[in-house]
Amino acid sequence: MPSYNPADIEPRWQQFWETNKTFRTEDDSEGKPKYYILDMFPYPSGSGLHVGHPEGYTATDILARFKRMNGFHVLHPMGWDAFGLPAEQHAVQTGEHPSTNTKNNIDNFRRQIKSLGFSYDWDREVDTTDPAYFRWTQWIFLTIYETWYDPIQKKGRPISELPIPEEVQLRGPDAVRKYQEPYRLAYRNEQPVNWCPELGTVLANEEVIDGKSERGGYPVVRQPLTQWLMRITAYADRLLSDLDPLDWSESIKQMQRNWIGKSEGAEVVFDILGQSPPVASGGLSVTVYTTRPDTLYGATYMVLSPEHRLVDVITTPDQREAVRSYQEASARKSDFDRTELAKKKTGVFTGAYAVNPVNCERIPIWIADYVLTSYGTGAIMAVPAHDERDFEFAKQFALPLVTVVTPNAKWLKDTGSTVDNLTAAYTDDGVAMNSGDLNGLDTTAAKEKIIAHLEANQLGTRKINYKLRDWLFSRQRYWGEPFPVLHGADDTVIPLPVSDLPLTLPEMTDYKPTGSPDGPLAKATDWLTVTRDGVTYRRETNTMPQWAGSCWYFLRFIDPKNPHAFADPAKLKHWLPVDLYIGGAEHAVLHLLYSRFWHKVLFDRGYVYCPEPFQKLVNQGMILGEYEYHCSVADFEKHQQSLVAVEITGTLRKPEEEDKVPTYVLKFRDEAAGVFVDLPDEKIFKEKGKTYLASPKIELTAKAEKMSKSRGNVINPDDVVKEYGADSLRLFEMFMGPLEAVKPWSTKGVEGVYRFLGRVWRMLTDDATDTLKLNPSVKDVEPDKEALRVLHRTIQKVGEDTERLSFNTAIATMMEFTNYFTKQDVRPKAVMEPFLLLLAPYAPHAAEELWAALGHTTTLAYEPWPKFDPALTKADSIEIPVQVNGKLKAVLTVPAGIDAAGLEAAARADAKVIEAVGGKTIKKVIAKPPQMVNLVVG
RNA sequence: GGCCAAGUGGCGGAAUGGCAGACGCACUCGACUCAAAAUCGAGCACCUAACAGUGUGUGGGUUCGAGUCCCACCUUGGCCA
């Protein structure tokens, strides 16, 4: 048999699996327990697969294959999240329809994914841009549109069940419709949005990073626009509480909790004082939200956001000009710029005053852009003594400050403050002071008392607030799902009947943004206007965001071809929830939150039968480039001469993040080869946990960086497959370290696992011959006791490790097995066969080929997973460490079944132990077979 | 600044509170070869000639026994501000 040649083996088995539909999931479970194992489906970008993709895909594939062999009815699908900006930008540049580019990219992704031998059921492939798919995305949108949230029942209900006041009913169907609009879970609203002129679209808050677009880094400005929103805030509490029982990592749950940002506090009403000259009629008030109502006595001024609707009403004539120019300036800033802590605070006095409701003090009202319209009520009471931003603002504008929570002594000492003269805001809890009836109460008690007081006097109410905002659902783009609605002349919204779905995109020749917040669809004049029963309607020119298609794709996989429903109810009942969902941590918040939200709406409306879609979630860690040694710029410049003398060069590396300092990457010039290589071992030493270059002594950090084109450290999976084969790529990606850890790539490491597969190959075959021939050591004989022990321990360890996704240690165990048997002249078939089954989920092509070489004629994909016998995993004699006062002094070899007394006797009798005890009194003996013995002497 | 992870050989990493460094990479030596590659064998934390001793970011603590548990600090990464 020839030597191990993945280029020959792998395409053959991929063809075999495809032809025989080996991994098709039949609808009939045949009584097997179900297991739905899902990858986060990729956006098929033009640059193709990244080595990060196969990491998650290999993990799920190993588990899918493992579960099949363990008798599960496995669902393991793959598809494409194919709407999105890059394809559209390509279309803008080339005039080519985005679907063409998308289709090419999908074909390339599919080819790459298939070349890795994953056991997907390709008959279930879905594509979010396929009208047969987005028909149901539109259908779900309409379902959400036709739902309102009942706060009493705490669930989404059909809009037809919304109670309509009688006087509205009397005014007829149009009035009812108007009444319903603001209750719908999908609704339209005018609000300031992040308009990105460069991309020609508005962006969701979460797509804006540091005041720039997440994609492309273009500037973003604020502009009011009428937009579709999804009322995800109605579900905030359920999205929060339903996290608890899920089998997700605590850190991801915490990120979701932070994003939802539940806080408990109070809304407080401040009356606005009449002005002289009067600018407003009396009776005006402003409501603020605060999480610290206990500090109300310390509120010495108020701040409204520049966009607050009362600003224009209360501003006095002499302040009008200053206020107006401030409003204009802040409109140009992003939320991030406005809330940045480090920055100097800005603001303008409105000339108006309010009354502090608890002590009747007259306090000035300012506007400042550190207060956002989108959080709370868009206005705050400022308590400069106990809030950092208020403190800075008060210092800036010389506003008064009253301490109402007594700081603890340590804090006063650390900050150099006195109770009456704070040098910083004291934000911790403490005992109330200067606060009337609250004095002497701790923060929790003070909160309770003041809220009771406010409610009793109708000055305020207890209020739970969420940081989570409603989800901006419109995009001014072409390449997304069209909204299945019509707009009437008086701006009424008419949903399309379900029979009209899918509403497809019009053919266009020009995909450029219009330059106004109208999307490119505004140019599709034929498509845009629709006449029904003699009335002319206009279609929506916005499209849905990319998140829409990915919110529910896991449901479509369950019944991907169904023309009558998004999926058959019985099938949904069988497969949901997803048992294991693996993907990148970059989707830890948004995709999962949006997806959970849609799922809950569908659950409330009776279309799915479990409240949460993803039972277990694992985030694979990012794969970085190969590691390199870095040193600081100062050290490099200082030692440049000496470095040149020892043939070391440095390259300046500027990090992408602006706040990170640049470093030099050091390389050693290999005299013989004339190339620059990583610093060799002998030039490096460690001291006190730090790494140094030996001469000249410079502190080094070994670090790996994100793969990026600009650094030139991107690994293309195609190249790895070509060089070492898919099985080696799969094995290496799993062998690198724990699935969830961030870890650097190493091409040498791929060679390592490639050599392992070569050893497995030679363990079983005779590679000196040209034709298929088993290695003469592989014999049909009874395995001896030790061979059985190695096998059964391997079965146990590989099975247990695979089950808990500890793939790296499972692979190490298979390597140990191979290291043992390649040294043996007798390799019993009865041991080799189960081993191949253990290897199969990890390196399926090689395992299938060798399985066939052992004489099998069918795939091993459904062979039962080998069972281990606990009795056979144990050796006759075991080694036990003996400690004296906790320090290892000897190792005893004793029979496996030894008891504590026997072990103690053996330890006391051992010569080395006697020497270590040195005649001292043995005060205590801890003997724990089969672990250790410890003699306490003194 | 807050919250959450994580710091173990030259590198990736392993280790239910019980022999630290499994497995792999790199490196060194040897076998095979005219030679190289591949392969096979041996070695490989530090200190030491050896015995011994020291070692899991730093400093304390709990325990018969700590990489593992607790406290403080330092560093790195992630998320939030």
Side-chain angles (χ1 to χ4, degrees), chain A residues 5 14 18 39 115 124 185 190 203 205 248 360 373 378 400 452 486 511 549 625 643 661 684 801 831 845 896-897:
Chain A
N5 182 9
Q14 285 160 18
E18 179 142 351
D39 293 289
S115 79
R124 291 174 186 261
L185 292 184
E190 183 177 72
L203 300 171
N205 285 334
W248 296 14
C360 299
T373 317
L486 297 172
Y511 300 95
L643 286 170
V661 291
I684 286 157
D801 287 355
V831 172
H845 310 87

Side-chain angles (χ1 to χ4, degrees), chain A residues 328-348:
Chain A
E328 282 175 10
S330 60
R332 289 194 293 270
K333 295 188 198 168
S334 71
D335 282 2
F336 179 85
D337 288 336
R338 292 173 48 162
T339 55
E340 177 67 54
L341 270 179
K343 225 185 46 204
K344 203 170 137 184
K345 292 284 173 291
T346 61
V348 176

Side-chain angles (χ1 to χ4, degrees), chain A residues 7 43 113 119 122 218 222 299 351 401 418 536 548 571 628 727 742 754 786 796:
Chain A
Y43 173 75
I113 288 176
S119 61
W122 286 104
Y218 303 115
R222 313 277 294 166
L401 184 146
T418 63
T536 303
K571 292 178 185 173
E628 297 165 312
D727 283 339
V742 175
Y754 176 74
E786 185 60 11
Q796 179 179 17

Side-chain angles (χ1 to χ4, degrees), chain A residues 905-919:
Chain A
R908 283 171 181 274
D910 185 79
K912 272 190 173 163
V913 174
I914 291 166
E915 192 194 332
V917 169

Side-chain angles (χ1 to χ4, degrees), chain A residues 59-280:
Chain A
T60 53
D61 195 59
I62 289 169
L63 215 66
R65 289 172 179 271
F66 176 72
K67 290 287 178 185
R68 277 187 207 103
M69 295 171 80
N70 279 285
F72 283 81
H73 186 215
V74 171
L75 181 58
H76 185 40
M78 178 48 80
W80 319 107
D81 186 15
F83 276 125
L85 274 182
E88 181 162 343
Q89 274 162 345
H90 179 84
V92 169
Q93 282 155 19
T94 63
E96 181 182 68
H97 194 281
S99 69
T100 310
N101 182 245
T102 301
K103 187 182 172 303
N104 291 342
N105 289 347
I106 287 176
D107 286 345
N108 188 41
F109 258 69
R110 190 190 300 103
R111 173 192 65 76
Q112 289 189 297
I113 288 176
K114 284 193 173 180
S115 79
L116 294 171
F118 297 131
S119 61
Y120 295 119
D121 177 358
W122 286 104
D123 290 350
R124 291 174 186 261
E125 181 179 348
V126 303
D127 165 5
T128 56
T129 66
D130 179 353
Y133 180 90
F134 70 66
R135 168 187 183 182
W136 295 106
T137 311
Q138 290 170 332
W139 180 90
I140 294 171
F141 171 84
L142 289 177
T143 302
I144 295 170
Y145 176 76
E146 294 293 344
T147 303
W148 65 291
Y149 195 81
D150 180 346
I152 312 292
Q153 292 188 14
K154 294 191 192 306
K155 64 179 281 199
R157 296 172 59 191
I159 195 75
S160 59
E161 293 177 10
L162 176 70
I164 309 286
E166 205 170 334
E167 71 269 19
V168 175
Q169 288 187 37
L170 290 174
R171 294 209 304 273
D174 280 353
V176 168
R177 200 161 181 88
K178 274 222 153 58
Y179 180 84
Q180 288 171 331
E181 288 303 315
Y183 288 92
R184 296 175 185 273
L185 292 184
Y187 66 101
R188 294 199 314 155
N189 191 33
E190 183 177 72
Q191 62 172 73
V193 293
N194 304 300
W195 164 247
C196 180
E198 209 70 38
L199 295 177
T201 185
V202 295
L203 300 171
N205 285 334
E206 49 273 20
E207 289 170 324
V208 181
I209 311 283
D210 297 358
K212 297 195 173 95
S213 62
E214 185 186 16
R215 286 190 182 189
Y218 303 115
V220 172
V221 294
R222 313 277 294 166
Q223 180 168 338
L225 268 182
T226 300
Q227 301 290 312
W228 279 101
L229 287 106
M230 290 257 170
R231 199 180 305 284
I232 189 170
T233 50
Y235 283 82
D237 213 41
R238 279 167 62 187
L239 288 168
L240 193 62
S241 57
D242 286 356
L243 277 174
D244 294 337
L246 296 179
D247 188 3
W248 296 14
S249 74
E250 208 39 55
S251 65
I252 296 291
K253 285 187 188 180
Q254 200 53 47
M255 280 161 68
Q256 295 236 327
R257 289 189 191 110
N258 289 343
W259 195 264
I260 295 167
K262 182 176 181 172
S263 65
E264 295 182 31
E267 275 188 356
V268 186
V269 181
F270 286 67
D271 284 333
I272 293 169
L273 280 179
Q275 297 298 310
S276 178
V279 290

